[in-house]
Amino acid sequence: MGRAGLGRLQLLLQLLAWLSLGRPAGGLFVTDYFTRTPRKLNAFRSFTSIELFHFRIPEDTVVAVWNLITFKEQGGTFGDQCPDRSITVYFRSGAPPVINPLHTHFPKDTAVPGSFALTLTWTLPNRTTGVFNITSPLPGDWFLAAHLPKEQGRISVKGLAEDCQYLFQPQLIVQRLLGISVLYPGYLTEHVLTGHNRSLLCKVFVPSYTSQVLVELRHCRAGANQSGEGCPLWLKARGKAPPLHNSTAVDCRERRPCRLALLRPFWQQWYYLLVEKPPGGPRAAAGSSLAFQLLVLLKDCSRSGLSRALPALPSASLNLPHSFGSPGGPASADAPGPFPADRPRPRPPGPLPTARGHCWPIRPTLRNELDTFSAHFYIFFGPNVSVPPDRPAIFAIRLLPVLDSGGALNLELRLNVVRARPPHLNSPGGGGGGCKETSSPRANRCLGVALAELLAGFLLSLHAKAPLARLRIPYPQTGSWYLSLRSLCATDSGLGPCGNVTAEVYLRTYLSPCINDCGPYGQCKLMRTNNYLYAACECKAGWSGWGCTDNTEAFSYGFQLLSTLLLCLSNLMFVPPVVIAVRSRYLLEAAIYIFTMFFSTFYHACDQPGIVVFCIMDYDVLQFCDFLSSLMSVWVTIIAMARLQPVIKQVLYLLGAMLLSMALQLDRHGLWNLLGPSLFALGIMASAWAARSVRRRHCYPPTWQRWTFYLLPGALIAASAILLYAFVETEENYFYTHSLWHMLIAGSVGFLLPPRAKPDATGPVASGLEFGPLPRRKGCGYQLCINELEELGLAGPGSSSVASVCAS
């Protein structure tokens, strides 16, 4: 059985164990299973280095259980020898989690949404699991982000050793409750809690422009006897998901009648009502039951003083299922259909009592798409907004599901004109019944904004001394956001409503990929996980933070200039090898050294992480030319040391250039791109030296001075450069070690390049740049004459006589 099968079996066993402990009472449960492909985790540097997973939880989910599987791999096998590294997993509903494991500073005026976090520890040498369960989770999109802890910035050569890989696979099982009782506003419904049932869950749909939801529990009775005391039940309510222990609740034992009022509810959402017996209450006798009635009334915000009337077609007007029944007879919440014939049909109750506050009109905004995560929200007859003294100005912004949650929501306010006495303008960023998810605007108060089901939000304040305010929300939850502007004036008791003050405010709201485009020391990158896109900043030059604004470990300008000069000017060490190559008549090798010096200099000038950057052409072109020229310098130096015939040497030069170009196109950072050509060239050189030593019956090179003063020092310098490049370089010392690498490689070339070739009396010369006497050419059975002076170019057209050499 594979890893996925083992993880699935373990998750099922965990779920069965959870179900054996207890499950919500009543109803039919359906279990759904979701999994994602294992992915390799990275050490945390910024949000671009995390692995993001996207799940979608269906409606009516009562419990969601995540099984988090992590295993090690090394070289395609189990990584039993890999060190244990902690793995942190973050959970958030509606948008990716905004995480800050390094505790860096966020940009100014940034609101940081919260998320759940879990750290996994290893229980087995190569495998570990973790469980994270949520009771009554919010339906819709859920995001998981996982990463390894930050590591020391050692720069490792790809392929030098088998790196340890940590693979992470999340699995999700959700349990949904089918057949939840649906209540219709304005109708009384009968319900019964039997002896073995301790709770009843039902739901009601709240349409737009609803300012209040009132839930009443009536006629509570045990069995057939009417109870004269309070009802031994709890009544809880929650929007979008079943209620939790901390949801809005009322104890019906202390109230008669039992009422639960919900002000400023979410619009276009289901509200779940839970009626349950108290945990410590007396247990009902066997076979006894508790009967009661439920009534839900909605106050229409668009028409003050009116409760939600019974429409002619409820399913059409409220977008509800057709199981509510006809308006003439309300449907039962326990079973769809009309009331039984033996039960008296209740009459619709009277209108809902008038709620405090008013319902102000909401001004829509125009959405203008510019690019991915780039949209502007324009206000009709704006962007200057007049805020009257007697009511707030409310605007609605709609963020599209999934598409808009991977960017940043930006809000800018500027106080332009104030008429009459100066006001104190407060702007809750997100309106009053909820900052997200189709909630109604809170228009009857000037302070506080509701975010989700909590009466808390984002508050901005403008006045004459501080006329400008900004708010940035990374990864905003999608849905409807409301912006409420209200004028407040100073009074003896504090701030209060203004009498005759009208303020004019410049309002700008837009969606951007990153906050301030990550600034001058960051790059905004567009990331993708499966079909989900999100944007994140990747910082440089020691800057950090969500928007690359934390300069705690930032490089100074002088350090950036020094590092750039070191990396660029260290390439001047190639000047001595160029001079040596030209003097020794190695012109082709000298040209390659000049090419290497040029592109290495300008590649590192363009590759700097700070602001001291100079690029003469595209970065990718400079990098390719730098890598190719470096490898070609090693290749031609070793081939030149072999002293081959000119034709063979030129063929090897051309073949090496083509093969190295192909290898770099496949993988520029692979170990064998450097090691493979070097070993092949060393093999050619060793074969040529061995053949020459056998033919001459003497060790080649023949002199001990060549070995002592040139070959051994050059080999030691080259080996030191390779060890420095492979094992010593880190991100912190890169500027010094890589500059030293340039100087060592250039110095080794100066020592290893062979001296000028001398004519060989026994045959053709080894160097292709030296021309000695041409050999006598013999024909096959006939005399072949060669004009030797003409071959050497010494005889001109005006010569009177030409000495011909004939060979048979």
Side-chain angles (χ1 to χ4, degrees):
M1 182 181 295
R3 297 190 184 95
L6 291 174
R8 189 178 294 109
L9 177 61
Q10 184 177 7
L11 180 59
L12 291 175
L13 293 176
Q14 290 172 349
L15 180 63
L16 291 176
W18 179 86
L19 292 177
S20 63
L21 296 177
R23 52 187 283 177
L28 177 63
F29 292 90
V30 174
T31 302
D32 296 329
Y33 173 80
F34 307 94
T35 185
R36 293 295 180 264
T37 305
R39 297 187 203 163
K40 176 186 174 182
L41 296 181
N42 302 309
F44 185 84
R45 295 168 54 94
S46 65
F47 201 84
T48 58
S49 58
I50 63 100
E51 288 295 330
L52 190 66
F53 300 87
H54 179 205
F55 290 90
R56 186 166 184 84
I57 293 183
E59 291 185 346
D60 302 338
T61 298
V62 294
V63 64
V65 180
W66 271 280
N67 190 37
L68 311 174
I69 305 174
T70 308
F71 47 92
K72 307 173 186 176
E73 280 190 356
Q74 186 176 20
T77 61
F78 289 106
D80 296 337
Q81 304 302 322
C82 294
D84 294 342
R85 305 180 64 185
S86 61
I87 298 170
T88 308
V89 187
Y90 301 84
F91 301 81
R92 188 185 175 204
S93 170
V98 181
I99 64 177
N100 186 23
L102 303 181
H103 306 288
T104 57
H105 299 295
F106 279 87
K108 187 180 179 181
D109 304 323
T110 301
V112 183
S115 59
F116 302 102
L118 178 66
T119 301
L120 303 180
T121 56
W122 294 91
T123 56
L124 296 175
N126 57 7
R127 179 186 177 87
T128 187
T129 57
V131 178
F132 183 79
N133 64 288
I134 300 180
T135 304
S136 300
L138 294 175
D141 300 304
W142 278 79
F143 295 87
L144 275 68
H147 66 83
L148 297 172
K150 183 182 179 181
E151 63 182 7
Q152 298 298 327
R154 190 178 71 86
I155 302 176
S156 59
V157 180
K158 183 178 179 181
L160 187 61
E162 292 292 345
D163 294 332
C164 291
Q165 295 185 359
Y166 299 82
L167 302 180
F168 177 76
Q169 181 184 21
Q171 298 173 342
L172 170 65
I173 281 187
V174 297
Q175 195 174 51
R176 296 184 293 116
L177 180 61
L178 298 182
I180 298 181
S181 304
V182 178
L183 304 180
Y184 180 64
Y187 283 87
L188 279 171
T189 54
E190 294 283 347
H191 305 273
V192 177
L193 280 179
T194 59
H196 61 277
N197 288 336
R198 299 192 59 87
S199 62
L200 171 69
L201 183 64
C202 51
K203 61 182 180 179
V204 60
F205 187 81
V206 177
S208 300
Y209 305 104
T210 300
S211 61
Q212 182 181 0
V213 177
L214 181 64
V215 184
E216 289 190 5
L217 192 148
R218 300 180 176 181
H219 306 295
C220 180
R221 57 192 181 277
N225 300 324
Q226 179 74 25
S227 176
E229 300 178 357
C231 188
L233 293 173
W234 277 85
L235 179 60
K236 297 181 179 181
R238 185 188 178 197
K240 307 176 188 177
L244 297 171
H245 66 280
N246 58 350
S247 301
T248 304
V250 61
D251 189 355
C252 295
R253 294 174 297 181
E254 302 175 356
R255 297 190 181 186
R256 183 178 178 90
C258 184
R259 288 183 178 181
L260 179 61
L262 304 173
L263 300 179
R264 299 168 297 278
F266 300 125
W267 291 353
Q268 297 293 322
Q269 297 292 337
W270 288 100
Y271 262 78
Y272 291 81
L273 306 177
L274 179 64
V275 180
E276 63 178 355
K277 298 176 182 178
R283 292 185 177 271
S288 63
S289 60
L290 187 63
F292 56 90
Q293 294 179 344
L294 283 180
L295 172 65
V296 179
L297 297 175
L298 307 181
K299 176 175 174 54
D300 194 339
C301 180
S302 60
R303 292 176 293 176
S304 179
L306 294 180
S307 62
R308 177 67 61 179
L310 301 180
L313 295 175
S315 60
S317 61
L318 296 180
N319 193 22
L320 294 176
H322 289 273
S323 60
F324 284 119
S326 62
S332 172
D334 292 324
F339 276 90
D342 57 350
R343 184 178 300 175
R345 188 182 305 275
R347 294 178 299 174
L352 187 69
T354 304
R356 293 175 295 176
H358 303 278
C359 181
W360 307 112
I362 302 174
R363 296 175 59 178
T365 56
L366 177 64
R367 179 189 178 98
N368 183 20
E369 293 279 356
L370 300 178
D371 203 345
T372 305
F373 302 130
S374 182
H376 284 256
F377 301 95
Y378 294 101
I379 299 175
F380 292 97
F381 309 106
N384 292 325
V385 179
S386 295
V387 183
D390 55 342
R391 64 180 185 274
I394 305 176
F395 304 91
I397 299 171
R398 177 69 178 174
L399 297 185
L400 301 180
V402 178
L403 298 178
D404 292 342
S405 61
L409 182 62
N410 302 268
L411 174 66
E412 294 183 5
L413 293 171
R414 185 173 65 245
L415 184 61
N416 288 339
V417 179
V418 177
R419 302 182 181 91
R421 62 175 183 264
H424 187 90
L425 180 67
N426 287 273
S427 169
C435 277
K436 77 170 194 63
E437 293 285 358
T438 61
S439 54
S440 67
R442 182 179 184 179
N444 60 333
R445 295 184 183 180
C446 57
L447 299 178
V449 182
L451 175 61
E453 64 271 12
L454 302 178
L455 291 179
F458 311 113
L459 176 64
L460 300 180
S461 179
L462 299 177
H463 50 84
K465 295 183 179 180
L468 182 64
R470 293 185 178 92
L471 179 65
R472 304 179 178 95
I473 305 175
Y475 296 159
Q477 293 176 312
T478 56
S480 294
W481 290 66
Y482 297 94
L483 174 65
S484 177
L485 304 177
R486 184 69 182 267
S487 295
L488 296 178
C489 294
T491 61
D492 296 337
S493 59
L495 298 178
C498 297
N500 58 350
V501 173
T502 299
E504 186 173 291
V505 180
Y506 171 81
L507 174 61
R508 182 177 178 229
T509 307
Y510 60 95
L511 194 68
S512 62
C514 300
I515 298 177
N516 290 339
D517 200 22
C518 301
Y521 291 98
Q523 181 181 6
C524 186
K525 288 192 172 183
L526 186 63
M527 313 296 292
R528 185 181 71 176
T529 170
N530 293 333
N531 294 326
Y532 181 76
L533 294 176
Y534 62 98
C537 290
E538 187 175 56
C539 305
K540 54 187 179 181
W543 290 73
S544 58
W546 191 265
C548 300
T549 55
D550 191 338
N551 60 352
T552 305
E553 301 178 357
F555 302 154
S556 63
Y557 179 81
F559 182 81
Q560 296 179 43
L561 182 61
L562 176 62
S563 62
T564 304
L565 292 177
L566 278 176
L567 289 171
C568 294
L569 298 182
S570 60
N571 289 283
L572 294 179
M573 280 295 295
F574 275 95
V575 173
V578 170
V579 174
I580 294 174
V582 171
R583 292 187 59 183
S584 301
R585 302 291 181 88
Y586 291 106
L587 301 182
L588 184 58
E589 291 81 353
I592 294 177
Y593 299 153
I594 294 174
F595 187 86
T596 302
M597 180 175 60
F598 177 84
F599 278 101
S600 179
T601 299
F602 287 99
Y603 164 67
H604 286 290
C606 185
D607 187 49
Q608 295 308 300
I611 59 175
V612 186
V613 179
F614 179 72
C615 299
I616 62 172
M617 58 182 69
D618 186 70
Y619 174 82
D620 189 70
V621 176
L622 290 173
Q623 186 186 65
F624 178 82
C625 293
D626 174 62
F627 287 17
L628 177 62
S629 60
S630 300
L631 296 178
M632 280 298 298
S633 298
V634 177
W635 175 263
V636 299
T637 301
I638 299 177
I639 296 299
M641 293 172 63
R643 290 187 178 273
L644 302 174
Q645 293 186 11
V647 176
I648 299 178
K649 185 175 69 172
Q650 291 168 9
V651 169
L652 289 177
Y653 282 0
L654 182 59
L655 183 63
M658 292 187 294
L659 293 179
L660 289 175
S661 300
M662 179 193 68
L664 290 176
Q665 192 66 24
L666 293 175
D667 186 5
R668 297 183 186 179
H669 300 279
L671 173 65
W672 290 101
N673 288 348
L674 174 63
L675 193 59
S678 301
L679 293 178
F680 184 65
L682 288 174
I684 295 175
M685 184 192 71
S687 301
W689 285 10
R692 191 172 287 112
S693 299
V694 170
R695 187 177 70 248
R696 296 182 178 184
R697 298 181 180 180
H698 192 278
C699 182
Y700 185 86
T703 61
W704 64 269
Q705 293 90 346
R706 181 67 186 170
W707 283 97
T708 304
F709 298 109
Y710 294 96
L711 295 181
L712 290 180
L716 290 176
I717 294 175
S720 301
I722 294 175
L723 294 176
L724 182 71
Y725 177 79
F727 301 105
V728 180
E729 270 191 4
T730 63
E731 294 181 356
E732 287 75 15
N733 62 15
Y734 174 78
F735 309 113
Y736 313 109
T737 56
H738 201 75
S739 301
L740 186 59
W741 150 267
H742 289 164
M743 294 185 285
L744 291 177
I745 287 295
S748 65
V749 169
F751 280 94
L752 295 176
L753 196 65
R756 181 176 180 178
K758 297 180 181 180
D760 193 348
T762 62
V765 295
S767 174
L769 301 178
E770 288 287 339
F771 294 94
L774 292 178
R776 304 289 183 177
R777 296 169 58 185
K778 295 183 178 182
C780 298
Y782 60 90
Q783 194 177 39
L784 179 63
C785 298
I786 301 176
N787 191 335
E788 200 169 64
L789 295 179
E790 185 177 353
E791 289 288 338
L792 295 176
L794 301 179
S799 301
S800 57
S801 63
V802 177
S804 296
V805 180
C806 298
S808 59

